[in-house]
Amino acid sequence: MFVSAKSTSSSVHSDVADKYLVSKLLGKGACGDVFLVFLEADFSRQFAMKIVDKKSFTSTIIAPSATTSGVLRSSANDVLSEVNILKQLQHPCIIHVHEVFDYPDRLYLVLERAIGGELFDRVVKKDGLDEFTAKLYFYQMLLAIEYLHSKNVVHRDLKPENILLASEADMTLIKVTDFGLSKLVGEQSLMKTLCGTPNYLAPEIIKTSGMGHYNSKVDSWSLGVILFIMLAAYPPFSDDYNDMPLVEQIKKARFSFADHAWKSVSKEAKNLISKMIVVNAAKRFNCTQALRHNWLKDEVMVKQVEELMKKDIDTRDATAKKPSSEDVNASVMQNISHESEADLLNNTVQLKNSCKENADLTVGNVSEKDIVWKLEEDSSESCSGAKKAKVDKLN
Ligand code: AMP
């Protein structure tokens, strides 16, 4: 079991390992892998830890300004100030950045954990969302992005994979993630997107290969594309549409509601999409305008969202006030939301403890941190396979 010893360089840095117990792989993103972690001092508190391997980015950390794509090499101070901005962002519909560890080779982002998975998977599983659910999610996305824009943070990489769901229920909070990361890891991540799947990128980003000037309206475009996908279960722009190359489709905003999937969708929903997928950014709706659109004047939906947000804020306040650690261990299993996760935590702790007891039996003197990494390696293969399958499905 412990045969493959990992080099020290690939172990979790000791500051991080001292504070967090790293468990299973939650997912793989363009910038790094994301793991479930538990706070060592209080196992009832779980987070998602994104580990960004800086070596996979060709240059050192780059911090573009919030509203333009100007590229500046950043110092450690720049990273620190970006991190502080991210940590201060608090909204029920965005993933809270709990803590960040910045090392020359790696960035560890400790994030609020969303257990409902990606919006992408939900849309694929349900073969498109009913209009009420799509509206409930879209309204929250607009609130979240309007909030980010009010703090001078432009997401720039909005897509259904970056919208997480707080629970398995249909009526759930959405949680926008990966905002501001491009500021920490630089334009490289954006470039990766450009080279990979530009399906959600605004034409002004594509036209200038991400190096021109653009503003927060790039997020409105992506939101329009996401709304289209939620309702139709297929993308407005795709390489699979043979009559025109993908980037040309985007540059011309060439999409239609002709397919049978749109027959049962309201005119208002289609109208809002047409106000957001607009080539001329000056004429494109911003989030505030979109929030005022007729389609979103739905009292039942707004009330649902308000209730969900209030619950989230109350839970967060209760956690903040909770006395920490010492007396928590006894009630750990009750506090963890899923039984399977209680088992997982238990197994992780046992594995860690048995490693401590049997240190001599391990090959190559593998440390407890390495063993957690071995777990990660094992789970990462199945994850990449799953990701490929679902991408194939949406395409
Ligand atoms: P990302 O790099 O943000 O695209 O994350 C890659 C995958 O990891 C996501 O698609 C999710 O499946 C998972 N993930 C990322 N962040 C979280 C989180 N905060 N909570 C739960 N799962 C997450």
Side-chain angles (χ1 to χ4, degrees):
M1 181 177 178
F2 306 140
V3 181
S4 121
K6 302 267 298 176
S7 70
T8 322
S9 66
S10 61
S11 299
V12 178
H13 288 81
S14 58
D15 283 358
V16 182
D18 286 348
K19 194 161 177 190
Y20 294 97
L21 196 60
V22 183
S23 188
K24 70 172 179 178
L25 183 83
L26 291 174
K28 290 171 92 65
C31 295
D33 295 346
V34 181
F35 297 93
L36 169 64
V37 299
F38 298 92
L39 200 60
E40 278 268 7
D42 179 353
F43 289 163
S44 70
R45 301 194 62 194
Q46 51 179 291
F47 299 92
M49 182 187 281
K50 179 181 292 225
I51 304 179
V52 180
D53 191 356
K54 290 186 189 170
K55 283 183 298 236
S56 62
F57 298 95
T58 51
S59 53
T60 52
I61 304 169
I62 294 165
S65 74
T67 51
T68 73
S69 65
V71 176
L72 305 163
R73 250 168 225 289
S74 77
S75 66
N77 277 347
D78 292 335
V79 174
L80 211 65
S81 75
E82 292 297 347
V83 163
N84 285 333
I85 292 169
L86 295 184
K87 277 164 72 176
Q88 277 161 26
L89 297 173
Q90 292 259 20
H91 191 282
C93 300
I94 64 171
I95 289 285
H96 182 239
V97 179
H98 178 71
E99 187 168 20
V100 178
F101 296 86
D102 182 33
Y103 294 95
D105 57 334
R106 259 198 216 136
L107 196 66
Y108 298 85
L109 294 133
V110 183
L111 308 166
E112 169 189 1
R113 186 189 173 202
I115 59 171
E118 295 174 15
L119 174 65
F120 189 103
D121 293 320
R122 196 70 66 97
V123 172
V124 171
K125 191 169 136 204
K126 293 184 174 284
D127 197 23
L129 304 178
D130 65 80
E131 205 167 315
F132 185 81
T133 310
K135 195 188 291 190
L136 185 99
Y137 294 170
F138 195 65
Y139 183 72
Q140 296 179 59
M141 286 176 220
L142 289 170
L143 290 178
I145 303 305
E146 185 188 49
Y147 170 81
L148 287 182
H149 291 175
S150 75
K151 302 286 178 192
N152 283 327
V153 174
V154 180
H155 192 297
R156 303 195 307 166
D157 195 18
L158 278 169
K159 50 191 173 190
E161 293 91 327
N162 284 337
I163 311 289
L164 303 178
L165 298 160
S167 78
E168 306 284 353
D170 283 344
M171 297 300 111
T172 186
L173 278 185
I174 64 103
K175 301 267 176 183
V176 175
T177 187
D178 262 2
F179 47 88
L181 190 60
S182 55
K183 292 166 123 196
L184 296 177
V185 299
E187 292 292 314
Q188 300 289 332
S189 83
L190 186 66
M191 288 306 143
K192 269 194 182 180
T193 309
L194 274 170
C195 299
T197 49
N199 303 54
Y200 304 91
L201 289 182
E204 59 270 30
I205 299 185
I206 290 178
K207 279 179 196 159
T208 60
S209 304
M211 304 307 282
H213 285 266
Y214 47 83
N215 59 28
S216 60
K217 292 276 190 75
V218 296
D219 288 342
S220 301
W221 174 280
S222 309
L223 284 171
V225 176
I226 292 173
L227 179 54
F228 186 108
I229 290 174
M230 284 197 292
L231 290 166
Y234 65 84
F237 312 111
S238 167
D239 267 329
D240 291 345
Y241 309 156
N242 293 329
D243 49 343
M244 197 185 277
L246 174 60
V247 292
E248 291 308 312
Q249 295 168 37
I250 295 171
K251 283 183 196 165
K252 295 187 165 70
R254 226 281 303 264
F255 68 95
S256 92
F257 299 121
D259 189 87
H260 70 276
W262 292 98
K263 285 209 174 83
S264 55
V265 176
S266 70
K267 274 196 190 116
E268 283 93 348
K270 291 182 223 174
N271 182 271
L272 180 52
I273 292 171
S274 341
K275 302 280 183 200
M276 303 201 78
I277 308 183
V278 172
V279 175
N280 183 346
K283 294 191 172 154
R284 192 182 304 153
F285 265 17
N286 63 25
C287 293
T288 311
Q289 289 171 307
L291 281 163
R292 288 195 210 113
H293 189 273
N294 266 345
W295 188 56
L296 296 167
K297 288 184 182 145
D298 180 331
E299 282 177 20
V300 178
M301 178 276 295
V302 171
K303 193 158 179 282
Q304 278 263 15
V305 171
E306 283 169 0
E307 279 169 14
L308 288 165
M309 295 202 320
K310 183 176 179 313
K311 234 173 155 177
D312 188 82
I313 292 166
D314 291 348
T315 313
R316 191 171 296 179
D317 287 351
T319 312
K321 281 185 202 129
K322 200 167 87 130
S324 86
S325 73
E326 281 78 28
D327 53 349
V328 170
N329 281 354
S331 59
V332 164
M333 298 313 164
Q334 290 161 15
N335 286 337
I336 294 172
S337 45
H338 284 307
E339 202 185 345
S340 59
E341 276 162 18
D343 289 345
L344 181 68
L345 169 62
N346 213 1
N347 289 339
T348 310
V349 175
Q350 276 175 16
L351 180 62
K352 230 183 135 168
N353 290 340
S354 83
C355 171
K356 275 180 188 153
E357 286 160 16
N358 299 313
D360 294 344
L361 299 178
T362 60
V363 176
N365 202 16
V366 185
S367 75
E368 59 189 73
K369 290 166 212 157
D370 296 327
I371 288 167
V372 176
W373 277 94
K374 177 76 182 89
L375 286 177
E376 293 159 4
E377 278 189 324
D378 292 345
S379 45
S380 62
E381 281 161 29
S382 54
C383 176
S384 59
K387 189 95 182 174
K388 185 178 179 319
K390 71 183 179 176
V391 169
D392 288 349
K393 187 151 184 210
L394 189 61
N395 288 334

